[in-house]
């Protein structure tokens, strides 16, 4: 089975843009001309143009038409895989706590739940050659009837932890990344001095209504922390 007709329009216009046949600011063919060229309905053309708008290739000016966007050279895609540390020999994940607790003010604020609502707290450490390299804490709203299986949680990604209540495909993840000075439990678990630098990756999972369904922090020791992102200019 061939590609849907609207995707053929998308691919054709993308090719013209990436090959520089048309430049930023240039007008795209009118809907009427696209209908004739691809022998499709106006609805099909509009569907293809909507895809191009959503992907940032073109923008629309009501009453005038569609135009090629300027490339965004400051946009990067950051891939964060919290399970990547288990891929090498000598690296493992140790589950140090799974519990049902009442949330602190900070946890309740980030999950947007009342203080009398319980949460599941999951704490893990990522170990390499016997040395703790990262400390992971996750908070998930607790619902009666949802089993807490420690064996599954030990190696689960954050979305997988909440998948029994929500579809992974309907979730979005928001990341905040910053440096901070280690203190309290963080310095104890990572076995570093209070005040030593750590990289913190804060994750918040949102459902399809943009409501938080999970919140957590992952702390990396300073000497092992780093970021890698990819910029796409097409």
């Amino acid at each position: 089975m061939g590609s849907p007709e609207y995707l053929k329009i998308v691919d054709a216009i993308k090719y013209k843009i990436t090959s520089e046949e048309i430049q930023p600011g240039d007008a795209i063919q009118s809907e009427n001309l696209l209908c004739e060229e691809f022998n499709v309905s106006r609805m099909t053309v509009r569907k293809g143009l909507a895809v191009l708008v959503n992907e940032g290739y073109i923008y629309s000016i009501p009453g005038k038409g569609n135009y090629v966007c300027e490339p965004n050279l400051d946009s990067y895609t950051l891939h964060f895989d919290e399970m990547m540390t288990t891929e090498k020999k000598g690296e493992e994940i140790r589950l140090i706590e799974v519990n049902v607790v009442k949330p602190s003010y900070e946890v309740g604020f980030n999950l947007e739940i009342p203080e009398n609502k319980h949460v599941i707290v999951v704490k893990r450490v990522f170990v390499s050659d016997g040395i703790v390299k990262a400390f992971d804490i996750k908070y998930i709203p607790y619902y009666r009837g949802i089993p807490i299986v420690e064996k599954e949680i030990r190696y689960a990604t954050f979305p997988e932890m909440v998948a029994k209540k929500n579809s992974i495909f309907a979730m979005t993840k928001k990341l905040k990344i910053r440096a901070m000075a280690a203190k309290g439990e963080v310095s104890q678990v990572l076995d570093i001095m209070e005040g030593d630098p750590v990289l913190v990756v804060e994750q918040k999972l949102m459902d399809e209504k943009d409501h938080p369904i999970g919140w957590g922090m992952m702390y990396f020791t300073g000497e092992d922390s780093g970021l890698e992102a990819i910029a796409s200019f097409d």
Side-chain angles (χ1 to χ4, degrees):
M1 177 180 284
S3 300
E5 294 300 321
Y6 77 93
L7 289 182
K8 294 179 181 178
I9 299 172
V10 171
D11 290 341
I13 295 177
K14 277 186 181 180
Y15 177 78
K16 289 183 178 181
I17 294 173
T18 56
S19 66
E20 300 184 344
E21 182 178 335
I22 50 178
Q23 303 285 329
D26 287 350
I28 302 296
Q29 289 170 276
S30 69
E31 291 183 3
N32 286 337
L33 289 176
L34 289 170
C35 287
E36 293 178 9
E37 179 180 347
F38 291 94
N39 193 28
V40 294
S41 67
R42 186 178 294 269
M43 183 178 296
T44 299
V45 167
R46 288 179 176 175
K47 192 172 182 179
L49 294 175
V51 170
L52 291 164
V53 170
N54 289 335
E55 293 186 359
Y57 283 91
I58 66 173
Y59 62 95
S60 179
I61 299 179
K64 291 189 175 181
N66 297 283
Y67 300 83
V68 180
C69 288
E70 291 283 347
N72 185 358
L73 304 184
D74 297 319
S75 179
Y76 290 80
T77 300
L78 175 65
H79 299 278
F80 176 68
D81 180 3
E82 61 193 299
M83 307 306 292
M84 61 188 174
T85 58
T86 61
E87 296 176 354
K88 299 177 182 178
K89 186 177 180 180
E91 297 183 337
E92 61 174 317
I93 299 174
R94 296 175 186 170
L95 187 65
I96 60 176
E97 181 183 345
V98 179
N99 209 346
V100 178
V101 300
K102 285 192 174 181
S104 65
Y105 173 80
E106 183 182 26
V107 172
F109 175 81
N110 280 282
L111 289 178
E112 299 179 14
I113 57 176
E115 60 182 15
N116 61 348
K117 172 74 175 178
H118 286 75
V119 298
I120 301 170
V121 58
V122 179
K123 296 182 181 181
R124 304 179 293 184
V125 290
F126 291 67
V127 181
S128 177
D129 295 324
I131 300 174
V132 176
K133 298 294 186 179
F135 177 35
D136 181 42
I137 308 176
K138 298 290 194 298
Y139 297 96
I140 305 163
Y142 173 72
Y143 297 94
R144 291 186 182 275
I146 295 181
I148 304 173
V149 184
E150 292 189 7
K151 188 175 181 180
E152 293 180 2
I153 287 177
R154 180 181 175 188
Y155 294 105
T157 63
F158 199 10
E160 288 170 343
M161 290 183 188
V162 300
K164 288 183 172 64
K165 182 69 179 177
N166 302 270
S167 168
I168 287 180
F169 298 102
M171 298 178 200
T172 56
K173 180 190 289 186
K174 296 181 179 180
L175 295 180
K176 289 183 180 179
I177 301 169
R178 65 183 185 275
M180 63 170 280
K183 61 182 180 179
E185 184 181 24
V186 173
S187 59
Q188 293 173 15
V189 173
L190 292 176
D191 194 24
I192 57 178
M193 299 290 292
E194 291 218 2
D196 282 354
V198 291
L199 182 72
V200 186
V201 178
E202 177 182 347
Q203 300 182 71
K204 185 177 288 189
L205 295 183
M206 316 297 288
D207 63 15
E208 67 277 8
K209 297 180 180 178
D210 205 34
H211 186 272
I213 53 177
W215 178 70
M217 315 283 276
M218 198 164 184
Y219 303 89
F220 297 86
T221 56
E223 62 183 16
D224 296 297
S225 59
L227 298 174
E228 182 174 324
I230 299 172
S232 178
F233 302 145
D234 55 21

